[in-house]
Amino acid sequence: MNLRVLTPSRKAPQAGDVFAFQLPDLTYRFGRVIRTDATWTLAQGADGAVLIYIYRTQSREMAVPDRDELRRDHLLVPPMMTNRLPWSRGYFQTVGNVPLDEHDLLPRHCFLSAARGRYFDDYGQPLAGPIEPVGDYGLHSFRTIDAAVSDALLIPRTPN
């Protein structure tokens, strides 16, 4: 994978947590936990996903970026829903917590369910149509996050 292993953590992500991940060029990129109770499928009991933003910001230092770098207009990829594995496996390392405010968040989250050909928000509610940026309606693994980040940065994907 292009994401490097940092320090594994068993601590549950919290809304506002800023996390770092490292790429092959040894720069750090950053993301933020938006919610920890997102709904990632219409199946019963499918809430509890971690909704994250991943930003374009990069640094040679693993420190919380300036708040201006954590704006909704600095997203590298559309919002994603994942579980705790990126943290427990050490691909994401929490570096601090910056409480969320309304200016940090997209007005509405939108995800496309390819299987259903419909759009849903992060609460599992149907949407009439796309609202940019459109993410995938489902649970991302650290591998699919790696692929999305690699594609956005034009870094060749590593073979499985």
Side-chain angles (χ1 to χ4, degrees):
M1 291 198 4
N2 284 320
L3 298 180
R4 301 291 188 228
V5 174
L6 300 169
T7 303
S9 172
R10 299 281 180 223
K11 182 178 178 267
Q14 302 295 316
D17 280 355
V18 176
F19 58 89
F21 58 94
Q22 192 175 44
L23 297 170
D25 65 0
L26 303 181
T27 61
Y28 294 100
R29 296 282 176 151
F30 300 91
R32 197 166 182 197
V33 175
I34 303 305
R35 294 182 51 203
T36 58
D37 60 349
T39 302
W40 59 275
T41 184
L42 298 179
Q44 187 72 12
D47 52 352
V50 181
L51 175 63
I52 60 171
Y53 288 178
I54 294 179
Y55 303 97
R56 293 188 307 250
T57 304
Q58 67 177 2
S59 175
R60 293 272 177 206
E61 305 294 323
M62 189 183 355
V64 176
D66 291 337
R67 188 174 192 113
D68 286 344
E69 299 296 325
L70 303 175
R71 295 191 329 234
R72 61 187 178 208
D73 61 340
H74 283 173
L75 296 181
L76 177 66
V77 294
M80 298 178 173
M81 292 182 268
T82 189
N83 54 27
R84 292 171 53 175
L85 281 178
W87 287 269
S88 66
R89 297 276 176 97
Y91 295 108
F92 291 172
Q93 184 171 335
T94 301
V95 294
N97 187 291
V98 178
L100 297 163
D101 71 30
E102 62 191 41
H103 303 322
D104 298 330
L105 306 175
L106 293 167
R108 191 89 190 251
H109 296 109
C110 179
F111 301 92
L112 172 61
S113 170
R116 291 183 174 81
R118 297 181 56 203
Y119 297 93
F120 296 90
D121 68 10
D122 50 320
Y123 294 94
Q125 299 301 310
L127 299 172
I131 302 168
E132 292 296 331
V134 178
D136 296 322
Y137 192 56
L139 200 63
H140 279 269
S141 70
F142 50 85
R143 289 193 179 280
T144 60
I145 294 169
D146 177 80
V149 168
S150 297
D151 292 350
L153 295 173
L154 304 176
I155 299 171
R157 291 186 187 185
T158 56
N160 288 340

